[in-house]
Amino acid sequence: EGATINTVSMICIEDAVDAMEWGLKVGGLKALQARADANEKAIADWVAKTDWVDFLATDPAVRSNTSVCLKIVDPDVAALSDEAQAKLAKAVVAYDIGGYRDAPTGFRIWCGSTVETADLEKLTPWLDWAFAEEKAAALA
């Protein structure tokens, strides 16, 4: 009958083409990898000077440089119930950076090559502020 079921939307294909063209324009694979590495480094630099958060994967060799997973390690928060910890983390996070359901209380931050490093550098002070606010509220 000439009917096709579940065809790929042409806009999805156009999005993929645009993404590949953009990737080539910024320098190709090596440049995209360098962008992701720089993004992960921005988060790693923040983690190194922040006492309430750490990498979920303690071994740097197995960490992702794109889907960076962090855990809250603040001892006062760790002393709270699991439910209170989850509530605090949910109150701190920006849209769609919550940790995985079965992971320790924390965050998952996309650091792939489509993210600007400067934007991640703007995110971390906000996370510090939000954490301090929510921790104070949780312990009050």
Side-chain angles (χ1 to χ4, degrees):
E1 294 180 9
T4 305
I5 300 174
N6 294 329
T7 57
V8 176
S9 167
M10 291 309 292
I11 197 148
C12 291
I13 293 171
E14 189 60 29
D15 281 349
V17 169
D18 283 350
M20 287 185 252
E21 287 175 350
W22 173 81
L24 290 171
K25 210 182 296 184
V26 299
L29 180 60
K30 289 193 184 298
L32 295 173
Q33 289 169 330
R35 287 173 62 98
D37 289 342
N39 289 341
E40 189 274 339
K41 183 181 180 315
I43 298 298
D45 290 348
W46 170 69
V47 167
K49 64 181 183 178
T50 305
D51 62 356
W52 63 267
V53 70
D54 201 357
F55 285 98
L56 180 59
T58 56
D59 180 357
V62 299
R63 286 185 198 146
S64 171
N65 70 338
T66 55
S67 182
V68 177
C69 296
L70 306 170
K71 60 185 174 183
I72 296 175
V73 295
D74 181 272
D76 294 329
V77 173
L80 298 172
S81 69
D82 289 346
E83 183 179 313
Q85 289 181 46
K87 182 179 177 185
L88 182 144
K90 187 172 184 174
V92 169
V93 298
Y95 181 72
D96 197 31
I97 70 167
Y100 292 106
R101 179 180 60 223
D102 296 330
T105 301
F107 316 110
R108 177 176 38 88
I109 301 173
W110 180 249
C111 291
S113 58
T114 57
V115 175
E116 297 295 332
T117 303
D119 291 338
L120 293 168
E121 292 166 344
K122 292 173 188 170
L123 172 68
T124 56
W126 185 90
L127 289 173
D128 287 330
W129 172 84
F131 176 78
E133 292 288 312
E134 294 305 325
K135 177 183 172 181
L139 298 176

